[in-house]
């Protein structure tokens, strides 16, 4: 059983849902990535998603685009993010997922990227712009290396696409909460429950919702219908606004701890 599947199994036994914080690798500096992940783990994060900085992040909104640009300007490259994961893995078994686009993977070399990610201790890869119809070669390389392959579904996904993604995803299925790009939103879409139910009709794999989730209340709403919530842009902005403070890491820990409270049984009800 992979670290991701084991974590969902543990959470189910406790009646909890997963909090999946997202950070950009190398923002606010590559040496900040590992202490940030360890602080979030201490605060209750269940799985951590790390974005590999990329110059053309089509699915990401302003917050993540700005974070990618800051990291790229510091010279952060995919190898630096993998090195950060390797440092984390020396002291932590928290499941780690890399979110990237397919161009960096191709440029790195699909087989070499899969091997190096697995060797560093990565558990799964989200190649945001890779469609399941074109993913055959990547899936073979990822599975050979022991990596989970996580694909995205959106409100516009057809029944055929939902079935295909549910079949090919391992670890969990990533449900995009709304049409569009990442970015904190004021409300969780009313239609989200129907979409999650439609996905569940095709699979028993965990369904995790991302894009637009920014507060404990929204985490709670999402976790009442899904198996976990990704909080990205709000956390990226929080980190950027406070990284020069002396108590920066404890502030991040407090924010994650508040978000995690929305996944507890008392908040969402044990299943």
């Amino acid at each position: 059983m992979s670290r991701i599947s084991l974590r969902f199994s543990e959470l189910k036994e406790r009646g909890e849902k997963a909090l999946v914080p997202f950070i950009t690798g190398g923002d606010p500096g590559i040496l900040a990535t590992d202490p940030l992940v360890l602080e979030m783990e201490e605060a209750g994060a269940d799985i951590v998603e790390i974005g590999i900085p990329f110059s053309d992040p089509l699915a990401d909104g302003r917050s993540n685009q700005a974070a990618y640009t800051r990291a790229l300007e510091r010279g952060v490259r995919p190898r630096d993010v993998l090195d950060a994961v390797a440092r984390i893995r020396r002291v932590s078994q928290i499941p780690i997922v890399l979110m990237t686009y397919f161009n960096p993977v191709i440029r790195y070399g699909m087989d070499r990227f899969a091997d190096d990610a697995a060797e560093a201790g990565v558990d799964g890869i989200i190649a945001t712009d890779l469609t399941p119809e074109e993913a055959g070669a990547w899936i073979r390389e990822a599975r050979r290396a022991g990596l989970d392959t996580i694909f995205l579904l959106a409100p516009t996904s057809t029944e055929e696409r939902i079935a295909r993604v549910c079949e090919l995803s391992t670890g969990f299925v990533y449900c995009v909460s709304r049409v569009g790009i990442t970015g904190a939103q004021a409300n969780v879409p009313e239609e989200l429950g129907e979409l999650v139910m439609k996905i569940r009709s095709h699979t028993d794999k965990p369904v995790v919702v991302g894009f637009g989730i920014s507060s404990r209340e929204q985490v709670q709403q999402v976790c009442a219908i899904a198996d976990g919530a990704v909080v990205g842009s709000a956390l990226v902005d929080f980190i950027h606004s406070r990284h020069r403070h002396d108590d920066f890491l404890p502030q991040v820990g407090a924010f994650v701890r508040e978000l995690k409270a929305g996944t507890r049984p008392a908040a969402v009800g044990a299943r």
Side-chain angles (χ1 to χ4, degrees):
M1 182 180 289
S2 73
R3 266 188 287 257
I4 294 173
S5 296
L6 179 60
R7 179 56 51 92
F8 277 109
S9 177
E10 294 168 346
L11 288 167
K12 188 172 184 179
E13 287 183 7
R14 300 202 298 265
E16 290 183 27
K17 304 300 179 68
L19 176 67
V20 186
F22 167 93
I23 61 171
T24 295
D27 184 51
I30 193 60
L31 294 180
T33 298
D34 23 327
L36 270 170
V37 171
L38 298 176
E39 180 71 26
M40 293 191 295
E41 180 185 23
E42 178 69 23
D46 297 295
I47 299 168
V48 172
E49 192 179 317
I50 303 176
I52 293 180
F54 181 51
S55 58
D56 300 294
L58 299 177
D60 287 279
R62 185 168 53 186
S63 298
N64 291 354
Q65 288 181 18
Y68 289 153
T69 298
R70 291 191 295 269
L72 289 170
E73 288 175 348
R74 294 188 185 97
V76 175
R77 298 295 181 264
R79 181 68 255 179
D80 300 305
V81 177
L82 296 179
D83 288 344
V85 173
R87 293 193 298 271
I88 295 164
R89 199 51 83 209
R90 291 175 195 150
V91 295
S92 171
Q93 291 300 307
I94 189 169
I96 296 174
V97 172
L98 296 185
M99 183 172 178
T100 184
Y101 292 81
F102 203 46
N103 270 356
V105 175
I106 294 173
R107 185 172 176 82
Y108 197 103
M110 261 195 300
D111 55 344
R112 191 163 70 93
F113 182 79
D115 287 340
D116 288 359
E119 184 177 354
V122 172
D123 299 294
I125 304 289
I126 303 169
T128 310
D129 56 348
L130 180 62
T131 64
E133 292 80 3
E134 298 175 336
W138 166 244
I139 290 172
R140 286 192 292 276
E141 292 297 341
R143 294 191 179 163
R144 176 188 56 75
L147 298 169
D148 279 324
T149 54
I150 300 157
F151 290 92
L152 277 65
L153 287 170
T156 53
S157 297
T158 63
E159 287 283 355
E160 182 181 9
R161 172 60 67 86
I162 292 173
R164 184 70 173 148
V165 164
C166 288
E167 176 190 353
L168 295 178
S169 290
T170 57
F172 61 87
V173 177
Y174 194 123
C175 172
V176 175
S177 68
R178 66 191 73 240
V179 176
I181 56 179
T182 65
Q185 301 289 329
N187 301 300
V188 173
E190 293 181 3
E191 306 79 16
L192 181 61
E194 183 179 342
L195 175 59
V196 172
M197 286 179 62
K198 192 183 294 184
I199 296 171
R200 287 199 191 284
S201 72
H202 289 274
T203 184
D204 293 329
K205 296 169 185 173
V207 179
V208 174
V209 174
F211 285 40
I213 316 302
S214 62
S215 67
R216 171 181 171 172
E217 290 72 25
Q218 292 180 344
V219 169
Q220 183 173 338
Q221 291 174 39
V222 166
C223 288
I225 55 176
D227 299 294
V230 179
V231 178
S233 298
L235 182 58
V236 167
D237 287 342
F238 188 93
I239 289 169
H240 180 58
S241 67
R242 290 166 172 79
H243 73 278
R244 290 190 173 86
H245 295 194
D246 291 339
D247 60 347
F248 161 58
L249 286 176
Q251 285 193 44
V252 172
F255 184 41
V256 170
R257 199 167 286 109
E258 169 70 9
L259 294 170
K260 178 59 188 174
T263 75
R264 307 282 190 201
V268 299
R271 292 179 60 196

